[in-house]
Amino acid sequence: MYGRANASGGPDGPSSTGPSSTGPSSTGPSSTGAAPPGGLVNALVHGLSILQMFDDDHQVVTVAQIARQIGVHRSNASRLAATLHALGFLTRADEAGQYRLGPQLIRLGRLAGAGNDLSRQAAGPLRALVRLTGETGHIGILDGTDAVTSVVVDGWHTVRMHSRPNKRSPAHNSSIGKALLAGLDDTEIRRRYRGRRLSAKTPNSITSLAGLLREVELIRARGYAVDDEELETGLRCLAAPITDAAGTVVASLGLSGPALRMTEAAVADLAPHVCAAAAEATRAIGGRAEAMPPAAAPDASAPSRHGTTPAPDGGHRFPAASR
């Protein structure tokens, strides 16, 4: 449940919503080759900036792209890439002068994931929720204006939503993202979206800051967020917040499924179960879980009708804030 909205709730400042059409997005030193801030090792900054060039859309980078990105001569870029290759952080791709991420990052990523107490501790309630409902479950965190999936538990329905850890989505388009944004105060939301365009993934997407602020107000009032085919047509999702000991929203937990099964009636049935699982995840990480309103509390002794007999589609749209 939502308490006092906080002014941070995630990394400071908006993140890039995706790479530019000209290549990997810039996350390191500027293309001018300017020296890094005092106290930083220039060569190390360049090496790490090369690794940050990779994303879902850029799984191979070239020496020429590296040179442009970090602002060095092509020969220096080639030596940097060769050094990362020798240490196992890059591996050569099919064409000369092209590189992919290397095996050392798999090892380090496994260690980092194993140490993620929030994801590990919150995954138990999520797995129980997926067993109950059959829908695919997620835990997500906020990175600027992106929602990043940290845990995915596949549902048991034959037709179900498929996802993967580390998937990034615009927060304003997704239920896990909107549940996280609702944990921020309006001033912080405005700061993060200042000068940014709210992308439309479907005709149902929120495309204005005013519409987003109305939506998060509704989410705070009812305690959970709904993605009514806003990220992908035919996909409907809902999510509730996970809070820490200070009451700050640090993650969100939710379910996703095909819209034909996740009808308005099904979402109404699932919402108290999702909120209860998020509250259990909150307790698992040492947070404070507020009691759910009596009318919303699920009957733990009764299985979810959604998992056995999906409610028929009454042709309704979800009640939502004006976009």
Side-chain angles (χ1 to χ4, degrees):
M1 299 295 287
Y2 292 97
R4 174 183 57 83
N6 66 87
S8 56
D12 186 28
S15 68
S16 170
T17 57
S20 69
S21 59
T22 58
S25 58
S26 177
T27 53
S30 69
S31 59
T32 62
L40 300 184
V41 179
N42 196 52
L44 181 58
V45 170
H46 282 161
L48 294 175
S49 295
I50 293 171
L51 299 180
Q52 290 178 315
M53 291 173 66
F54 293 88
D55 58 29
D56 287 339
D57 296 321
H58 299 90
Q59 298 188 25
V60 174
V61 301
T62 68
V63 169
Q65 288 174 325
I66 293 170
R68 288 195 304 270
Q69 184 84 352
I70 63 177
V72 299
H73 192 274
R74 184 164 177 164
S75 62
N76 291 338
S78 180
R79 285 196 295 271
L80 286 166
T83 300
L84 290 170
H85 172 258
L87 296 174
F89 291 98
L90 292 181
T91 186
R92 297 189 190 278
D94 297 334
E95 301 291 333
Q98 295 184 347
Y99 291 88
R100 296 179 181 274
L101 293 176
Q104 281 287 6
L105 293 169
I106 299 174
R107 182 182 69 84
L108 294 175
R110 188 182 304 117
L111 291 173
N116 189 337
D117 289 340
L118 188 154
S119 295
R120 184 174 67 250
Q121 293 171 6
L126 180 65
R127 285 192 291 269
L129 179 67
V130 171
R131 284 196 299 269
L132 176 68
T133 65
E135 302 297 355
T136 297
H138 314 265
I139 293 172
I141 58 174
L142 189 63
D143 181 12
T145 58
D146 284 352
V148 182
T149 302
S150 59
V151 177
V152 177
V153 179
D154 284 332
W156 45 259
H157 287 292
T158 302
V159 178
R160 62 183 185 269
M161 190 265 192
H162 295 275
S163 187
R164 66 183 188 280
N166 300 318
K167 179 181 178 181
R168 303 178 76 92
S169 303
H172 70 280
N173 290 145
S174 68
S175 61
I176 62 170
K178 290 192 291 183
L180 291 160
L181 289 173
L184 304 176
D185 62 33
D186 287 359
T187 299
E188 175 63 13
I189 293 174
R190 289 189 183 94
R191 187 189 72 81
R192 293 192 181 212
Y193 283 93
R194 186 179 299 124
R196 301 181 71 88
R197 175 177 166 270
L198 275 68
S199 60
K201 297 293 187 180
T202 77
N204 286 3
S205 298
I206 296 172
T207 56
S208 71
L209 180 57
L212 178 60
L213 292 174
R214 287 191 292 269
E215 181 83 352
V216 297
E217 183 178 4
L218 172 65
I219 293 165
R220 291 167 188 151
R222 70 184 176 193
Y224 64 91
V226 174
D227 162 9
D228 182 14
E229 301 185 73
E230 297 161 48
L231 183 62
E232 182 178 334
T233 300
L235 179 67
R236 197 166 278 145
C237 319
L238 69 160
I242 299 172
T243 59
D244 63 13
T248 300
V249 175
V250 293
S252 61
L253 177 152
L255 293 174
S256 300
L260 288 176
R261 187 167 63 236
M262 296 265 291
T263 61
E264 182 180 5
V267 167
D269 179 43
L270 287 168
H273 293 281
V274 169
C275 290
E280 183 62 30
T282 291
R283 286 188 286 269
I285 67 169
R288 296 181 301 164
E290 298 180 16
M292 295 180 63
D299 180 358
S301 64
S304 166
R305 71 173 182 270
H306 175 72
T308 53
T309 308
D313 188 350
H316 303 298
R317 304 300 297 169
F318 286 104
S322 170
R323 282 157 168 75

